[in-house]
Amino acid sequence: MTPIDRRILLHINWSLVGLTLLLFGVGVMNLYSASGFRLEDGLSLNPFYKKQFLWGLMGFGGMITFMLFDYRHLKTLAVPMFLVTLLLLLCVPVFGKVIYGARRWLDLGFFNLQPSEVAKISILLIGAKLLSKGQRPLDWLQLFGVLAVGMVPAGLIILQPDLGSGLSVLLLLGGLVLYRGIQMRVFKPLMILVPVLLPMSWFFLHDYQKRRILTFLDPGNDPLGAGYHIIQSQIAIGSGRLWGKGFLSGTQSQLRFLPEKHTDFAIAVFGEEWGFIGCMFLLSLFCLFLYQIYLTAHDAKDRFGSFLAAGVFFYFFWQILINMGMVLGLMPVVGIPLPFISYGGSATVVNLSLIGLVLNVSMRRFVFKRA
């Protein structure tokens, strides 16, 4: 490993570090409230927020690790890590641990590893490696080659079934493709083919996924079944009004009307307790957070570093957009968590490690010139 040049420590993006700490702190605070439920003799708490704090400590360890080495070495690790990820995903159907009715985790004894989260890092690395070669917009052959690399892990993840993580992998890769650019003779036919072919995906969905889409189109069709999540979520956010009901005072969440309040629907707890003003504050934090990652992609001094930061940007952008959209009822429920706000060990470690990668690119932007 290349010795650390002390001068690069002077160029740490402290704004990104501060925003990450602030978002993680808001997430733990919100999980403290989401972990509680009212009893006659007071408030009872599940240990979700404590575990999230421990995952955060592991994640910050990952962040520091990803900051220390020269990120250009990751080019040589992209293919081996991609193959290891495929192996882990193939192990899930055989050795996977069932949690909440889904087989998505590998039990490592001290930690339940979710290989689909590791896949997001490996797709980022191999996508950045492939797309940073050359500068011309992609033709048909190059586009199919890049998308084929992502389809294999995405397909294995969707078969678990985990539609949300599978979509995250494809959207991350799709974002990198757009960052590189597509030839106009490829882009125009795609604008016609995608809307035509997209409805065919209906025939490959599980029954519960079809119910989620139908519920998105008409939430009132099954208010006590498939539509229950989204209806309770909208009631919780709406009841927060302008200023919210106050910390630990959300009735929908504390009285257990709101399901999955510590995972995918954690933002509904925040909206109920902190209202429209609190949600705008949180959204502003996310916008500033994304802007700092965008600046890193823009200012990176080599194409590989620029694509790495751009991939992290798209990874967080799509997760934030889709989670908030589905909680508000503007998108179908696909099981994508909100970064730093939703509970999840693997996701927290991966999210913070990806920020360490962006900081790595940012720190070294003065060390060498663009390749």
Side-chain angles (χ1 to χ4, degrees):
M1 180 178 292
T2 305
I4 299 174
D5 186 343
R6 292 184 179 180
R7 292 173 298 175
I8 65 175
L9 299 178
L10 300 175
H11 300 298
I12 292 178
N13 187 338
W14 290 109
S15 296
L16 181 57
V17 173
L19 287 165
T20 303
L21 287 170
L22 196 52
L23 284 168
F24 179 74
V26 171
V28 173
M29 180 196 70
N30 190 60
L31 277 178
Y32 181 84
S33 180
S35 300
F37 52 91
R38 290 286 173 188
L39 299 175
E40 291 183 357
D41 56 348
L43 185 70
S44 179
L45 293 171
N46 287 317
F48 297 123
Y49 69 99
K50 292 181 180 177
K51 289 184 177 178
Q52 184 74 355
F53 187 75
L54 291 176
W55 304 143
L57 292 180
M58 291 179 61
F60 282 111
M63 175 193 285
I64 294 172
T65 302
F66 272 75
M67 285 172 58
L68 294 181
F69 59 88
D70 190 331
Y71 65 85
R72 290 174 295 175
H73 296 309
L74 291 174
K75 267 188 177 180
T76 57
L77 295 175
V79 174
M81 187 168 179
F82 179 73
L83 295 176
V84 170
T85 300
L86 289 182
L87 181 61
L88 290 173
L89 289 172
L90 289 170
C91 287
V92 170
V94 182
F95 306 107
K97 181 177 180 180
V98 178
I99 300 177
Y100 299 130
R103 193 183 298 275
R104 300 172 183 169
W105 292 266
L106 293 175
D107 187 357
L108 303 183
F110 66 101
F111 185 72
N112 292 322
L113 177 68
Q114 192 170 356
S116 59
E117 295 294 335
V118 181
K120 293 168 185 173
I121 296 181
S122 64
I123 287 294
L124 169 65
L125 295 182
I126 201 161
K129 177 183 174 71
L130 293 174
L131 290 165
S132 61
K133 294 178 180 176
Q135 299 190 17
R136 297 183 60 184
L138 299 175
D139 57 26
W140 278 111
L141 185 62
Q142 293 170 320
L143 178 63
F144 280 129
V146 172
L147 293 181
V149 170
M151 291 299 290
V152 177
L156 291 172
I157 294 170
I158 291 173
L159 287 175
Q160 290 180 357
D162 188 354
L163 180 62
S165 296
L167 284 176
S168 295
V169 168
L170 291 177
L171 289 172
L172 191 161
L173 197 58
L176 284 175
V177 166
L178 292 177
Y179 191 66
R180 165 72 180 267
I182 305 172
Q183 292 182 3
M184 192 54 71
R185 61 181 180 177
V186 177
F187 181 76
K188 288 181 178 179
L190 278 179
M191 291 298 99
I192 299 174
L193 283 174
V194 170
V196 171
L197 296 177
L198 194 58
M200 295 178 64
S201 62
W202 174 266
F203 301 102
F204 299 96
L205 297 176
H206 292 269
D207 289 340
Y208 78 92
Q209 293 166 336
K210 292 178 181 177
R211 285 196 296 273
R212 285 180 174 180
I213 293 177
L214 294 174
T215 301
F216 162 68
L217 298 173
D218 183 12
N221 186 45
D222 187 10
L224 298 179
Y228 186 76
H229 283 68
I230 190 60
I231 291 174
Q232 293 302 320
S233 170
Q234 290 173 330
I235 292 173
I237 294 175
S239 65
R241 307 185 71 174
L242 185 61
W243 295 103
K245 297 176 179 175
F247 186 53
L248 297 176
S249 300
T251 53
Q252 294 301 113
S253 54
Q254 302 296 335
L255 298 178
R256 289 187 279 185
F257 287 105
L258 182 64
E260 306 297 336
K261 59 180 182 177
H262 62 293
T263 54
D264 296 348
F265 287 82
I267 185 64
V269 178
F270 188 87
E272 183 181 23
E273 297 188 345
W274 299 96
F276 177 78
I277 299 298
C279 288
M280 288 299 101
F281 171 73
L282 183 61
L283 189 59
S284 299
L285 288 182
F286 273 123
C287 288
L288 291 171
F289 170 79
L290 289 173
Y291 180 64
Q292 290 299 323
I293 299 175
Y294 162 77
L295 286 180
T296 301
H298 182 268
D299 296 338
K301 295 304 181 184
D302 71 321
R303 287 179 60 78
F304 181 63
S306 180
F307 273 84
L308 280 180
V312 176
F313 173 88
F314 284 112
Y315 166 77
F316 283 114
F317 172 78
W318 288 120
Q319 295 224 14
I320 295 166
L321 180 70
I322 294 176
N323 180 273
M324 290 190 173
M326 73 181 197
V327 171
L328 290 170
L330 302 175
M331 293 182 183
V333 176
V334 291
I336 290 183
L338 186 61
F340 307 115
I341 306 299
S342 297
Y343 172 78
S346 298
T348 300
V349 173
V350 168
N351 290 342
L352 291 170
S353 298
L354 289 175
I355 295 304
L357 196 55
V358 174
L359 292 171
N360 191 329
V361 176
S362 177
M363 288 161 60
R364 289 172 171 80
R365 65 189 187 279
F366 300 108
V367 177
F368 49 88
K369 296 184 180 298
R370 185 184 290 269

